[in-house]
Structures are given as structure tokens and as C-alpha cells.
Amino acid sequence: MSAYVKVNRRAMSALGALVAATVVTGLAGVPAHAATPQEQLAATAVAENGNGPCAHGGYDDGLSQSSSCDGHGGQSQAWCADFVGWVWAHNNVSGMGMLTDAAASFYQYGLKYGTKSNTPHVGDAVVYGYSNGWAQHVAMVTGISNGVVTITGGNQGHSQSSEGLVSTNSTTHYAVGDAPWGQVISGYISPVLQKATPPKVSLQGLPGTSVTGVASLSSSVSAGTYGISTVEYYLDGEKIATRSTAPYSYSFDTSRVPDGKHILSVEVTDTQGNTGGDRAQIITSNGESGSTFDADFNGDGKSDVGVLYDYGQTSDGTNHVGLWTYLSNGSGFNKPVKVWDNVDAGSGSWNWDRSKVTSGDFNGDGKSDVAVLYNNGQQSDGTNRTSLWTFTSNGSGFNKPVKVWDNVDAGSGSWNWNRSKVTSGDFDGDGRTDVGVLYNNGQQSDGTNRTSLWTFTSTGSGFGNPAKKWDNVDAGSGSWNWDRSKVTAGDFTGDGKADVAVLYDNGQQSDGNNRTTLWTFASTGSGFNAPLRKWDNTESDVTSWNWDRSKLTVGDYTGDGKADIGVLYNNGQTEDSRNKSALWTFASTGAGFGNPLRKWDSGSDSWNTDASKLTSGDFDGDGKTDIGVLYGYGQQDDGTNRTGLWKFTSTGPAFNNPTLAFDSANFTSWNWENSKLA
């Protein structure tokens, strides 16, 4: 599977190579006459020739891009967009808020501001290989002379003497559609230059780096030459809100976005189009559910995939959500079928943003059901209200959701949904799936982080009140940081009772290596033993393991009756912007886990871990768990959203290469961002 075309950027044409050998200097320095803004752009870029990604501490536009140095320390990062964004940012260009680390963001900039053309101009961004929201590369036009166009860019492999560094090369093949260095030119994007002293803005309202729930944002602005027109908020370069009146407040619901690192930026625009910006790197941590394991909704012995889908709001303000299932047919999946819809069912409003989803056979009838931990917000007395709902499978579909617990109704005090990470498993071995929650109790007065493990035990017809099974402070286990914990569950010992596993982020060591550990809470039937560390990359043969780049799932991949751990790992990007990913498994030995083994990597194709949502299940019914990935291709040029469902089939010792089992391009528009796996 590839979102990009594989290219050989070293395969220059004979003419291109000849021209590159006698580079037309164009604007290699500031000309003798007063430099135009475009010439100054070119001079800034060319002055960087020979520099690597960490020049000036890293190329960074100061708004929506991250540093070009972020990829160093174990993973690569394509930094061509970082470089061009940095050059533009140093030359008073408007509208920088939408430019990201992706080359395609420059193409989209050109569409937004009407500056995309087929004709090169000095200072333009030149975008290569653009299609349906993706692009292979971006560089900058730094010279035009007698039919020769000079291009300067970062992270370029087509310059033989300076591979990967900032380099300048020239070509006579510069028309849109030409491929002077193996990649097709898609268009030239002119920057919009500031016309006067720009306005300034300061982002306010964030509680800190780690953000949960709803953050009440505002912006403090000051005018430049002209008055203020609008303030826009961006998340990772995508606009999420526009405000036109002070204090430009915006309620940012962090549960809308995946847990992890994001860049939140704000851009102010004056009445003449001049802009100023501010940004913050944040970590959203709302406790996304651990991936599901063997969800067999129709009881046929083959695992299926469920999705809770967000349709947004109806005209009357009702939140609209649907539950869909992809039923396995053994060799693949049938087209998804909607099995519940709160509007069609007359179930009132259901807020997808406030739902954490997991699945399991909660009543023990051999068919998997769906559970949702739901955020009912804060009561007038300040109590946080959370409820647990189940959708019971009837074989051909699901019954209407039933509320099986509510902390206010149960007199359980306050329960903060934002501080809950949900998983599920048969923790007591009675044949019915229970629900587990890793809960964030915050920081003690002495700075110790306090975390607890709770279970809702299934009674068959409902659930008992949650019982606390472990607390790091009560257990004398030192500090345990909930924000640094990714939780899942499976029967790791093979004794018929599900255990809990946590992949834990121990941060970066003094030598720059990332440290990650794997812990398990072994079930005793009535509770859990204290957590034991089963793996530590610093004590194994794995030098650095980045927790931020790891997506966790669980399944019995070898078919030996013991659950294993799977991780889809983000290995960064190649210089031509292909995303590199690898699939690793930690095989259970019963008493622990072997060192992780790489079972697959994306090789010459492109696979974006950030666009992957993982699940596991025995999709073909052969007794070995397979891995499924709901993959987001984003919005296509025709305006439709494309999503694919891929399957990695286990052979026992390994996995077959992934196959595309469903493609929404052949079905309807399907928004990956609006999909929560059940």
C-alpha cells in the first residue's frame, strides 16, 4: 500500500545532470541593487546550502511546523517542508498558520490564497508529486535565467555531492508535468507577502503542556498598521475555528483528536490580509480505549470490526452517531453495515466526542457486545458524571444501548471521564468480559503521580459497581504517570483470566536514547498482582524505543493460547516523504515476553502510522489472531473522504503482507477522523 509513487530522485536526466554541473547561480547572494522581497527570499534559501536539518537549531516556521531536528535520535524525518517554511517565515510571509511538515500544505496554501500557477517565480515553492492531499517533495525557486530555473531545497537526494542537505540545482525542464529529478512538478506556489506592519497575537487558556477535556482558549491581539479582522485556530496546520470578536474565545475539545503530541497555533489577520501568529506544542491525553481483541459480533467464530461513527450535529442541534460493523467472511470483510443510529432509533442526542468505546462478550452468550464509557459532564455541584452503556449483540445486529452504571446514580462520588483509559477482558475467568479503567488521580502534594486500576465486573445482565484493584500510592509502588501509560488487556499467562498490560514512557535518557518499558498486572481472579516490569529497551538489545511512536494492540498471534503484544511503530520518513512504519510483536512466554521482533515493515512503500487505527482479531477463524488497521487517506481532490481497512494475516511465526480488505472509495465517503474502533 502506498500513498506515494516510489521514485528514484538520483536518476537525473543527462541534460539535467549537465545543467546541475554548471549551476546557474541565479540569486546565490543578495544582488548589488536593493533586493526585492522575492530576491531576499531566494538569498535566504541559497545561503543555507550545505546545511543539514539542525542548522540554526532546526528549521521551524515558528507556527505550525515542528523542528526539522525532531526526527533525530532514532527516527528520520522528511524536512523539505520545514526548510521552505523557515525561509518564508524569515521573510514576512502571510498565512503561515496552515503550513505543516507536509509538502502538500504548500499546494493547499496556493489553493487558499489563489497563488498556485504553472509559471515559476523567484521565491515560489515548487511542489512535486501532489495527489489527493499528499505530495512527495517541496523546494523553492531561487533563480530564473534564460530558460533555466534554479531550485533550492532541503532534504534533497538528487544532488550527488550533498545528499540530504540543503542544495541548489538547475534545470531546463521546469514545466508542470515535467520530472527533472524523478518527481513530477505539480505547481508553483507564490507566497503572499506582508503589506505593512503585521498584527500580533498571543495564545491563552492552555492549562499546560498536557491537555485533557475541553480547553477554554482565547487570544490577546495587538494591531499593526491596520485593524484586526479575524483570529483563526489551527491544529497541526488544519483550521479548527475562526473568531472575529475579542476575546476570540474557542472551546477546544481535545477528545476530538488522537492522544499524543500536536501543534496548536493561532493566527491573527488584519483588514489587509497581514498576519501574525503564536503556537504551543501540546500533548492531548484523554485515555483513548485500548484496541479491541477478538470482537465476534455474530458468533460465527471469526472476528469482526466495529466502528462508532460521528455524523456531527443535525439541524436542531442533536448530536448524531452511528454504529457500524464490518463482518468477516473469512477471506476478507463484507461491506460495513449500520446496525444502530441514535437519530433513527429515537434515542435522543449522543455525543461521539464524549464516548470511549471497547467491546467484549459481556453477557457470555458467545457474541461480542459493545460498551461505551460516556462523559455526562460536570454537575452544578462540581461533581463529574460518567456512565457506562452497553449495546448487546443479537447476532444480526445490536439492541438499543442500555445504561448499566452511572456514578451519580450509584452514589460513587465524582468520576472524571477525561482521566479514564478504558480496556476490556475476562479478568475473573468466568466466561464474561469485564471492563477495566486505568484512572488518573493526579499529583500528590509531594509531586508523586497517582494512578489506580478499577474493574467493572460483568454479572451477565449488567455490571457491578467499579472496584479499585490497585493504586500505586496505596501499594507503595512509587510514582506512576497516567499520561505516560498506554493500556490494553489479554490473557498473557494462558490461565484463562485476562491480565492488564501497560506500555510506559520513561522519557529520554542522558545519551539521547528513548526508554520504554512494558509492565503487566497479572490477574488473580479476584484482583491483580502488583505490576511487574516484563521488558525494558535499555536492558535489552534495543538501544532506543520511542513510546510516542508506538501504537499498541494485543492478540494471540502465534496461536499458543497466550496473548502477545503488537506495536505498529513509526520510523519517520524517507527523504522523498514516504512514511516508514514497522510491525513488531512481543511474544508471551507465559512468565514474561521475549524481546520484540519485527514482523513487517513498509519497505519501499509508504505507510503512515499516524493515519492508522489498530485492532486485533482472528479474522479468518484459524486460531491465530490477525491485525487490522483502519487507515485514513484523508480528503480526496473531489471532496470525498477515503478510508481503507487493511488486514495483516498471521501465519503463526510471522504475518503476511497487508491486504486491502475494504476501500471506502468503492462505497461512499468515509471520514477516518470520525471513526472510533469498537
Side-chain angles (χ1 to χ4, degrees), residues 389-409:
W389 295 74
T390 56
F391 299 74
T392 301
S393 171
N394 55 35
S396 58
F398 289 84
N399 299 327
K400 289 184 179 181
V402 174
K403 185 168 68 172
V404 292
W405 175 79
D406 181 306
N407 64 293
V408 172
D409 294 343

Side-chain angles (χ1 to χ4, degrees), residues 83 122 128 147 154 194 218 463 522:
F83 173 72
V122 171
Y128 300 83
Q194 305 277 28
S218 61
F463 289 86

Side-chain angles (χ1 to χ4, degrees), residues 178-225:
D178 285 349
W181 299 294
Q183 291 172 316
V184 175
I185 295 173
S186 298
Y188 295 94
I189 314 301
S190 297
V192 177
L193 299 170
Q194 305 277 28
K195 302 171 184 174
T197 302
K200 296 180 179 180
V201 62
S202 175
L203 177 63
Q204 299 178 336
L206 285 173
T209 301
S210 183
V211 188
T212 62
V214 177
S216 298
L217 305 179
S218 61
S219 294
S220 175
V221 304
S222 58
T225 304

Side-chain angles (χ1 to χ4, degrees), residues 60-66 85 89 93-100 201 232 234 236-237 263-268 275-281:
D60 178 351
D61 74 354
L63 198 54
S64 290
Q65 294 175 331
S66 53
V93 172
S94 293
M96 299 289 294
M98 67 179 297
L99 296 178
T100 70
V201 62
E232 295 177 326
Y234 291 83
D236 299 327
I263 294 177
L264 178 65
S265 54
V266 61
E267 187 172 80
V268 59
T275 63
D278 190 21
R279 69 130 179 231
Q281 181 170 283

